[in-house]
Amino acid sequence: MRMKKIIVAIDGPASSGKSTTAKQLAKKLDCIYVDSGAMYRAVALYLLQNDINFHDKTMLRKALVAINIEIISSKHKEENTIILNGENVTKKIREPEITNYSSTIAKDGLIRERMVELQRKLAETRSIVMDGRDIGTVVFPHADFKFFVIASIEERAKRRWLENQNKGLGSKTLDEIKQELAFRDKTDSTREIAPLKKAEDAIEIDTTNLSVQQQVEEIYGIIKNEIFL
Ligand code: DC
């Protein structure tokens, strides 16, 4: 029996296992799952498609007004569907060019301000599990539960490599993937605004040696103890 509306924030570096865990956790808790990274990816796609330099603040302000991002999350479907100005871009935003560029544009204060506003709106009326980089520190500093998910860079590169193989996107070597992850780790954790970091009151979960099921059970166990009395 659910006691009240809850917000669960799950942050961590790329390929740490946070999204897989967050999706399954949301299902178990009967909550909505929101992938905040997908929003930054949608902005990156829009800026690239429309040839807009985000350093040009006049252009960027106009773009942020023109960008309409819908995150369709349903309790019956793990994956979020991302609609950018009426177009389903769920697949497109996973392309490598967008992956790297999303980390670059996520440094921008105007972009972050707009995304945080949208993210908070999504949680106004519903229980939610949201994953990202600054969910526990900036978006929901008063979240009911905060987790910071980490894993060694070797393990994260291996996971991403396997994921690529399974999707038939196998052209990158393990070493190339490791370098890309290191680039994103650095960009995400050294930026001035809302860098990737563990909130003081977040629980750290190291998934290096955990299966997906173990990760989910560990986090679910902590939440269950407090809300299902
Ligand atoms: O979670 P992801 O790898 O899909 O996110 C893509 C990029 O978006 C990531 O490199 C940094 C940025 N991001 C962010 O700055 N803040 C968030 N809450 C989520 C993602």
Side-chain angles (χ1 to χ4, degrees):
M1 189 184 31
R2 165 73 41 74
M3 308 302 286
K4 65 173 182 90
K5 177 168 104 62
I6 59 163
I7 294 180
V8 182
I10 304 189
D11 291 302
S15 293
S16 56
K18 62 184 189 312
S19 308
T20 318
T21 306
K23 280 178 210 158
Q24 297 196 15
L25 183 72
K27 211 170 182 182
K28 278 173 94 78
L29 291 171
D30 198 26
C31 285
I32 293 293
Y33 160 67
V34 172
D35 169 5
S36 70
M39 298 165 124
Y40 289 92
R41 286 170 179 267
V43 173
L45 176 66
Y46 181 91
L47 297 177
L48 278 179
Q49 276 180 340
N50 293 280
D51 204 14
I52 294 165
N53 177 351
F54 74 96
H55 294 296
D56 179 339
K57 298 304 166 201
T58 311
M59 290 290 280
L60 178 63
R61 277 200 178 86
K62 275 191 196 151
L64 287 173
V65 173
I67 293 175
N68 181 31
I69 301 170
E70 281 171 76
I71 302 268
I72 304 175
S73 45
S74 119
K75 285 182 184 171
H76 311 289
K77 203 165 156 263
E78 282 186 3
E79 212 58 63
N80 285 169
T81 300
I82 315 298
I83 311 287
L84 172 63
N85 292 347
E87 186 196 348
N88 185 338
V89 294
T90 312
K91 279 218 176 89
K92 233 183 238 178
I93 57 167
R94 301 289 151 196
E95 285 170 11
E97 190 190 10
I98 304 299
T99 301
N100 292 329
Y101 196 51
S102 61
S103 184
T104 303
I105 59 104
K107 287 189 242 176
D108 186 89
L110 286 174
I111 296 175
R112 299 206 72 82
E113 209 176 282
R114 181 83 184 104
M115 295 304 106
V116 171
E117 190 182 275
L118 288 174
Q119 287 151 9
R120 288 184 180 150
K121 234 188 196 117
L122 288 167
E124 267 171 8
T125 54
R126 303 171 289 183
S127 284
I128 199 162
V129 176
M130 189 177 289
D131 76 358
R133 305 293 189 284
D134 62 338
I135 310 305
T137 50
V138 175
V139 183
F140 300 121
H142 304 297
D144 301 275
F145 297 94
K146 296 182 187 179
F147 297 95
F148 194 74
V149 179
I150 57 161
S152 73
I153 191 154
E154 284 76 20
E155 178 60 27
R156 290 188 285 133
K158 208 166 80 193
R159 287 178 192 164
R160 180 53 60 92
W161 184 83
L162 273 172
E163 201 180 306
N164 286 354
Q165 294 294 311
N166 291 336
K167 286 185 188 158
L169 305 165
S171 63
K172 277 189 193 143
T173 65
L174 197 58
D175 212 46
E176 281 167 337
I177 293 176
K178 206 165 136 184
Q179 277 173 30
E180 278 183 10
L181 284 176
F183 163 79
R184 280 217 287 156
D185 283 355
K186 187 157 181 260
T187 316
D188 295 344
S189 54
T190 59
R191 68 179 174 225
E192 263 174 50
I193 310 167
L196 165 69
K197 71 167 188 226
K198 180 181 166 298
E200 268 176 28
D201 51 351
I203 299 171
E204 187 169 289
I205 310 277
D206 186 339
T207 70
T208 307
N209 298 307
L210 297 183
S211 68
V212 171
Q213 202 189 343
Q214 285 171 325
Q215 295 165 35
V216 177
E217 283 308 323
E218 185 159 345
I219 295 183
Y220 181 64
I222 294 168
I223 296 176
K224 203 177 74 171
N225 273 344
E226 290 204 28
I227 61 169
F228 301 103
L229 297 171

